[in-house]
Amino acid sequence: MAEAGEEKRLAREIAGVLDECRLSHAVHTRKLRELSALRSSAPPGLFFPSFARALTPLFDFPRRSLAAERTVRFVSAFVALADANANAAASGVFLEEFLRFLLVASGAAHRTARFRSCQIISEIIMRLPDDAEVSDQLWDEVIDKMKERVGDKVPAIRAFAVRALSRFANDVESGDILILFLQTLSQEQNAEVRKTIILSLPPSNATTEAIVGSTLDVSESVRRSAYRVLASKFPLQSLSIKHRTIILQRGLSDRSSSVTKECLKMLKDEWLTKSCGGDPLALLRFLDVETYESVGEAVMEALLKDGIVPVQEGQSIRQYLKSSNKSEGTEAAVYASEASDNNDLLEGILPVTISDYVDLVRAHLSAGPNYHFACRQLLLLGAILDFSDTANRKIAGGFVQELLLRPLEFEVDDDGSKIVIGDGISLGGDRDWAKAVSELARKVHASMGEFEAVITGVVKELARPCRDRTADYMQWIHCLAVTGLLLENIDSLWSLHGKAIEPSELLHSLFLPGAKQIHVDVQRVAMRCLCLYGLLERSPSEELVRQLRLSFINGPAPVSIMASKALIDLATWHGPQAVDKATGMDLQQSGDEKNGFISVDLSNLNEDANIGLLDLLYSGFDKDDWGANVEGDDHESVHAVLGEGFAKILLLGENYPTISTGLHPSILGKFISLYFCDETKNLQRSVSPELSFLSCDLCGQVASCPDKKTPAGKSYLSALCRIALLIQFRSSEQGAIKCMRGLLNSMIISLSTDKELVKELTRMAARLKSLDDHPDEELSQEQANVIFGKLGLDGSLKMDTSAVPPPSVLRSARTAPNRRRVRREASPDDEEISSVPEVPMTPSLASMRSQRASKTAAMTKMTTKTTFELSDDDEDGESDVTSEGTSD
């Protein structure tokens, strides 16, 4: 009895200390000393049970009030604090006893007990010093128990469990913790838990992709935390160029200003200041702006707007000019008095005269391909210069002529043949370069009709050897590239009438002869010009359409690719009926009447065959001898181009009223068939074993879908079933066939109200039964579990290969609803425990205090209202740590 009385007395004293600590944080330091002294003076074996008795009410108090949080912080600090000298061993024993006490509580049925225990465990682990002496066995128990709690149904408990494990994630021996974090992150629905995981991930190659991927998270706080982690844990040099550009591209364009500020802070404080010594040019080198130009522009715009990169005296472009012509200095435009701040900045760095500007660009051109990027940037700057003066315009006009007539760059192979550098289509071999030249040309020749007159004059000069049949393939490509630049920058062919070369002359003297050239690269660029020409016509001409169709059918793969792009563009611009009419076709179906495609064999098709454009393009899906892909582009193929074109018709059908919507089901069916085809088997539609597990996955989702009554749920299930119907099975896949048969009955019952779909599923069941070598034998449960395990499906799904239920059974398949059990709404007390302190970046100091995440009540309610509903077990369950003692 005396011992029990002493224990109660100690519990009352400890409770008194805790009561004072919950009122104010200022007394914590003094009370830590007082409680430590009380522990030292307590009789052996009595302090811990007294401490647990006094602390027990905290495990029954669900609200995360300020007083409760102060108590948690004080208790965690006390437990993690090691006494000096002789009492160090006693404090270590108390630490282990208390951790075991918390581990028992973390497995309690009562939600609040689990929550408080995980919260205190995480706080203790965050505060323990690196040299704390804790047995490996206890740490293993803590880790195992926290791994279990990562799967808890309460988000706040999951978050605290992740926080507790974060300190062990760097341990090589605990690699399974990192795997658990990454798996949980990809499946976690609660934003606060995802945020805690992101803050807990250590820097490594395995975590980089996950953290960078979180910059696209739907939650603003998660995205912001991802940038904090990238700034603090990942030096600029440790990231690949691709990751650097993705991070900046997403962050600087984020819809949330707080995320953008966090990204900009990382860019300024870490990448620019620490990694690049404040040198913006060094930062641009790390970003490879020649490849990722738009990212470089966004970075420099952000830095300039923030005033971080001011232009200093002596750092402008002018200092690099060595022009000997100073006579035009008075002709330079003075912007300071009339321009905006941006123009003032440009005034400080741009050349003084147009002549200086032209000399600067020429110098970069002469320096070789390594200066191509800088030269293009200078051309873009030229679009903002003043060319109103006649002398300036004359100098710039001559330079534009020089750029247009500049021969293509090439290399010589081992056989002495010339190989064009670039895409072989655009001026200069680069679409961006061609765009920069065209913008400069339009700015210099801004008068009505002047641009067309100048460019057609250049085309006429370049076309002379092509007409005379003395031009080599490089001259052909150069001429057609300049012509393509002209066609891209005019609104109608009427603007070319009366110019140096007429539209019909372009078609018959350049484009059609170029399409028949022996060199494939010349045919490619000719296809592009034919497309641009056809888009500018009021209605496509017969010669143009016939040549494109012929090149599509009989041309080599690179030419067929360009021809298919051209035909798709013409079909969506003019309408397929107008394109067919150009060749005099009299088709039975047109407009909204067309509900299907006519498939033909393109390998044996006569070029004069009476087949419509859409049918011709659709038949291209079934041709498997198009040849190799375009060199240098693994994704460019005729099938890919056709797929992109028909996808545009399917997704943007309202923009193409002349294309029948009745074709959409056939297009979607073709896409699904192609997706599940095996290219190594000549586009067979029988799917591989992995994909026939996918069909079972669709059935499993239908059978186990919780939302089958709402219109949205019915539409979703119907779409899944229709996709499954399109999949064909190989007879060799007996396991998948039996699994599919076993799930079909559940699908049919789920969609019993859709009579047409039930008929289709019934036919599929009969077809699968005919493919089954032993139709009367059912799939064993072990085999079914293997398939379900690979698909991540519920192992309790019912397998039934019996006959399809008759219609009467389907009509009565809906059973009487069970009586609903009343579930209480989330109370304010529930909402209080949703916020989790962030994981410290370096959780190793004993004196470190956990930061409480500040959330408004509204945000808390939004994130926890649907996740904190208690089941009846939680409602009525008793805490495993509740004791009879009370605390003042």
Side-chain angles (χ1 to χ4, degrees):
M1 293 294 293
E3 184 175 329
E6 181 65 17
E7 181 181 329
K8 289 184 177 180
R9 183 191 66 81
L10 275 174
R12 284 195 297 271
E13 291 189 35
I14 295 171
V17 172
L18 296 179
D19 281 343
E20 293 185 54
C21 291
R22 72 184 178 89
L23 297 177
S24 173
H25 185 269
V27 301
H28 281 199
T29 303
R30 178 167 54 85
K31 291 300 177 181
L32 282 174
R33 293 195 297 268
E34 182 178 330
L35 194 57
S36 297
L38 188 61
R39 179 173 59 185
S40 302
S41 62
L46 289 184
F47 182 80
F48 173 73
S50 302
F51 185 83
R53 179 190 293 267
L55 195 62
T56 296
L58 182 64
F59 290 83
D60 284 327
F61 188 69
R63 296 188 60 189
R64 292 198 63 188
S65 62
L66 188 58
E69 295 303 308
R70 290 195 188 108
T71 304
V72 169
R73 287 198 293 270
F74 174 77
V75 169
S76 303
F78 171 70
V79 176
L81 181 63
D83 287 347
N85 302 327
N87 295 325
S91 63
V93 172
F94 173 75
L95 170 63
E96 295 203 10
E97 285 182 320
F98 190 66
L99 283 176
R100 294 187 188 280
F101 168 78
L102 292 174
L103 289 179
V104 174
S106 66
H110 196 277
R111 187 190 68 174
T112 306
R114 299 198 313 275
F115 164 72
R116 287 297 180 194
S117 60
C118 291
Q119 181 187 21
I120 298 175
I121 288 174
S122 69
E123 285 291 331
I124 292 174
I125 293 177
M126 290 294 108
R127 293 171 181 271
L128 275 178
D130 292 333
D131 57 352
E133 295 185 3
V134 181
S135 66
D136 292 340
Q137 181 183 358
L138 179 57
W139 277 142
D140 291 340
E141 293 177 11
V142 171
I143 291 174
D144 291 340
K145 185 60 70 172
M146 290 300 100
K147 285 181 182 178
E148 293 180 13
R149 296 279 65 84
V150 170
D152 198 281
K153 63 181 179 180
V154 180
I157 297 177
R158 299 200 299 270
F160 277 122
V162 169
R163 187 169 180 260
L165 290 172
S166 63
R167 192 161 178 180
F168 305 99
N170 275 318
D171 192 352
V172 178
E173 298 179 358
S174 303
D176 53 341
I177 295 178
L178 185 58
I179 296 175
L180 176 64
F181 281 178
L182 295 177
Q183 291 176 344
T184 305
L185 179 64
S186 62
Q187 303 169 358
E188 180 57 54
Q189 299 297 315
N190 185 271
E192 193 69 26
V193 182
R194 295 199 304 273
K195 173 184 174 181
T196 306
I197 295 175
I198 288 297
L199 294 173
S200 304
L201 290 176
S204 68
N205 293 333
T207 60
T208 302
E209 199 67 40
I211 296 174
V212 173
S214 295
T215 58
L216 284 180
D217 195 278
V218 296
S219 171
E220 175 184 329
S221 63
V222 177
R223 300 198 303 274
R224 188 167 59 247
S225 299
Y227 282 100
R228 286 186 56 198
V229 172
L230 289 169
S232 61
K233 297 182 179 180
F234 291 85
L236 175 61
Q237 294 85 345
S238 67
L239 298 168
S240 66
I241 294 177
K242 184 66 175 178
H243 279 149
R244 297 169 196 165
T245 54
I246 289 175
I247 290 167
L248 292 176
Q249 190 174 36
R250 294 174 180 174
L252 296 178
S253 61
D254 196 278
R255 62 180 179 271
S256 169
S257 59
S258 63
V259 177
T260 302
K261 289 179 181 178
E262 197 67 46
C263 177
L264 188 58
K265 180 181 178 182
M266 175 199 69
L267 177 65
K268 296 185 299 182
D269 299 345
E270 301 296 330
W271 290 14
L272 179 61
T273 304
K274 293 184 179 180
S275 300
C276 300
D279 184 3
L281 294 180
L283 176 62
L284 293 180
R285 294 189 191 100
F286 276 115
L287 299 179
D288 187 15
V289 293
E290 295 191 23
T291 304
Y292 304 99
E293 181 180 346
S294 60
V295 176
E297 291 179 357
V299 168
M300 291 309 300
E301 181 180 2
L303 295 179
L304 288 170
K305 285 183 177 179
D306 208 55
I308 300 174
V309 192
V311 178
Q312 304 294 333
E313 186 66 26
Q315 292 185 346
S316 70
I317 296 177
R318 297 179 185 179
Q319 65 175 317
Y320 300 102
L321 297 176
K322 297 182 179 179
S323 175
S324 59
N325 184 9
K326 302 298 182 181
S327 61
E328 295 182 13
T330 57
E331 300 176 5
V334 180
Y335 298 104
S337 60
E338 58 186 23
S340 64
D341 293 340
N342 289 336
N343 284 336
D344 290 339
L345 178 62
L346 291 171
E347 155 64 18
I349 63 175
L350 290 177
V352 177
T353 66
I354 296 298
S355 179
D356 287 342
Y357 166 76
V358 170
D359 290 342
L360 183 63
V361 180
R362 282 181 179 143
H364 282 77
L365 277 174
S366 303
N370 290 337
Y371 292 86
H372 185 81
F373 173 79
C375 188
R376 181 163 59 84
Q377 303 307 309
L378 290 172
L379 288 183
L380 294 174
L381 286 175
I384 64 175
L385 297 178
D386 180 17
F387 298 103
S388 59
D389 184 82
T390 303
N392 288 342
R393 193 163 59 252
K394 182 178 180 181
I395 295 172
F399 181 58
V400 168
Q401 290 263 353
E402 179 183 333
L403 292 174
L404 293 172
L405 293 171
R406 182 180 176 84
L408 299 176
E409 296 182 353
F410 63 91
E411 295 177 347
V412 180
D413 61 11
D414 297 337
D415 299 329
S417 301
K418 296 180 180 179
I419 301 177
V420 175
I421 298 177
D423 60 12
I425 294 178
S426 306
L427 179 67
D430 181 6
R431 185 170 181 81
D432 291 333
W433 173 264
K435 183 179 179 181
V437 173
S438 65
E439 290 181 1
L440 178 62
R442 293 190 68 87
K443 181 62 185 279
V444 174
H445 304 291
S447 301
M448 181 69 69
E450 184 181 358
F451 173 81
E452 293 83 353
V454 170
I455 306 299
T456 52
V458 174
V459 171
K460 183 175 183 179
E461 181 177 346
L462 294 174
R464 188 173 295 111
C466 299
R467 287 175 169 179
D468 298 339
R469 303 297 185 262
T470 60
D472 60 13
Y473 88 97
M474 291 185 60
Q475 290 174 300
W476 267 102
I477 293 176
H478 186 191
C479 178
L480 292 173
V482 175
T483 310
L485 182 147
L486 170 66
L487 297 178
E488 280 184 315
N489 287 275
I490 60 176
D491 298 326
S492 171
L493 292 177
W494 287 101
S495 61
L496 301 182
H497 287 291
K499 300 300 187 293
I501 187 168
E502 292 283 339
S504 60
E505 193 175 358
L506 290 174
L507 178 62
H508 295 94
S509 299
L510 285 180
F511 303 158
L512 294 177
K516 300 172 185 176
Q517 266 279 328
I518 191 173
H519 203 284
V520 173
D521 288 338
V522 177
Q523 296 180 44
R524 285 180 64 229
V525 68
M527 291 298 107
R528 175 173 177 266
C529 289
L530 284 173
C531 176
L532 294 172
Y533 189 93
L535 295 177
L536 292 171
E537 289 183 302
R538 288 188 174 180
S539 58
S541 56
E542 179 181 358
E543 301 96 329
L544 183 144
V545 175
R546 289 192 180 277
Q547 182 60 58
L548 289 176
R549 288 170 59 102
L550 180 63
S551 297
F552 171 72
I553 298 172
N554 298 328
V559 177
S560 295
I561 290 172
M562 296 301 296
S564 60
K565 290 181 179 180
L567 289 172
I568 290 172
D569 286 345
L570 292 180
T572 54
W573 183 255
H574 293 291
Q577 296 81 19
V579 179
D580 292 335
K581 187 177 179 181
T583 55
M585 292 186 182
D586 183 17
L587 302 177
Q588 297 294 329
Q589 292 180 333
S590 62
D592 293 335
E593 301 175 2
K594 188 173 180 61
N595 294 316
F597 290 100
I598 301 173
S599 183
V600 296
D601 184 5
L602 295 184
S603 302
N604 300 315
L605 183 66
N606 188 333
E607 62 179 275
D608 296 328
N610 191 36
I611 178 173
L613 175 60
L614 292 181
D615 294 324
L616 179 71
L617 295 174
Y618 188 82
S619 300
F621 285 123
D622 297 325
K623 185 179 179 182
D624 56 1
D625 58 348
W626 289 110
N629 295 343
V630 176
E631 184 178 355
D633 192 342
D634 296 334
H635 304 286
E636 190 82 322
S637 66
V638 178
H639 290 135
V641 172
L642 293 176
E644 182 180 352
F646 278 101
K648 185 188 301 183
I649 294 173
L650 188 64
L651 297 174
L652 305 175
E654 66 276 7
N655 296 335
Y656 313 118
T658 58
I659 300 179
S660 172
T661 56
L663 299 175
H664 291 183
S666 299
I667 296 174
L668 179 59
K670 174 61 71 173
F671 283 163
I672 296 174
S673 298
L674 289 174
Y675 180 78
F676 290 113
C677 79
D678 186 352
E679 293 184 358
T680 61
K681 299 295 183 181
N682 296 325
L683 297 180
Q684 292 180 2
R685 294 190 181 128
S686 297
V687 300
S688 62
E690 292 78 9
L691 296 177
S692 63
F693 291 157
L694 178 57
S695 62
C696 298
D697 190 7
L698 295 173
C699 296
Q701 291 189 46
V702 172
S704 60
C705 181
D707 184 15
K708 300 178 181 179
K709 298 181 179 180
T710 65
K714 292 179 180 179
S715 299
Y716 173 69
L717 295 181
S718 176
L720 291 181
C721 289
R722 293 186 186 281
I723 293 175
L725 287 170
L726 294 169
I727 302 174
Q728 304 294 326
F729 285 77
R730 294 176 181 171
S731 59
S732 59
E733 295 302 321
Q734 290 297 307
I737 290 173
K738 285 187 177 293
C739 183
M740 188 71 171
R741 289 188 61 205
L743 295 173
L744 267 179
N745 283 348
S746 299
M747 292 179 65
I748 292 174
I749 293 176
S750 299
L751 275 300
S752 59
T753 57
D754 192 333
K755 296 181 180 180
E756 294 298 324
L757 193 54
V758 168
K759 291 181 181 179
E760 294 294 329
L761 291 172
T762 305
R763 295 191 191 102
M764 184 177 189
R767 186 168 65 251
L768 290 175
K769 185 176 181 179
S770 65
L771 292 174
D772 196 339
D773 294 340
H774 304 284
D776 297 330
E777 296 180 4
E778 292 189 0
L779 194 68
S780 68
Q781 191 60 43
E782 291 76 11
Q783 293 173 315
N785 290 338
V786 171
I787 296 177
F788 291 154
K790 291 182 178 180
L791 298 175
L793 295 177
D794 185 2
S796 63
L797 288 175
K798 184 178 180 181
M799 299 287 293
D800 182 10
T801 57
S802 60
V804 177
S808 59
V809 176
L810 294 180
R811 285 194 295 268
S812 61
R814 183 180 301 175
T815 59
N818 294 328
R819 180 176 298 176
R820 292 187 178 182
R821 303 181 67 181
V822 178
R823 302 179 68 186
R824 71 177 180 89
E825 296 294 330
S827 66
D829 290 354
D830 298 331
E831 298 166 4
E832 288 289 339
I833 68 171
S834 64
S835 182
V836 179
E838 294 184 358
V839 179
M841 294 302 179
T842 311
S844 61
L845 300 178
S847 61
M848 182 176 297
R849 297 181 300 169
S850 62
Q851 299 178 0
R852 183 185 183 207
S854 59
K855 289 276 188 178
T856 63
M859 289 299 296
T860 303
K861 182 177 293 184
M862 289 169 61
T863 58
T864 63
K865 183 174 182 181
T866 60
T867 57
F868 279 83
E869 291 185 351
L870 289 175
S871 65
D872 291 334
D873 293 336
D874 283 337
E875 189 80 33
D876 302 328
E878 293 184 357
S879 172
D880 290 354
V881 297
T882 302
S883 65
E884 296 178 357
T886 58
S887 174
D888 294 334

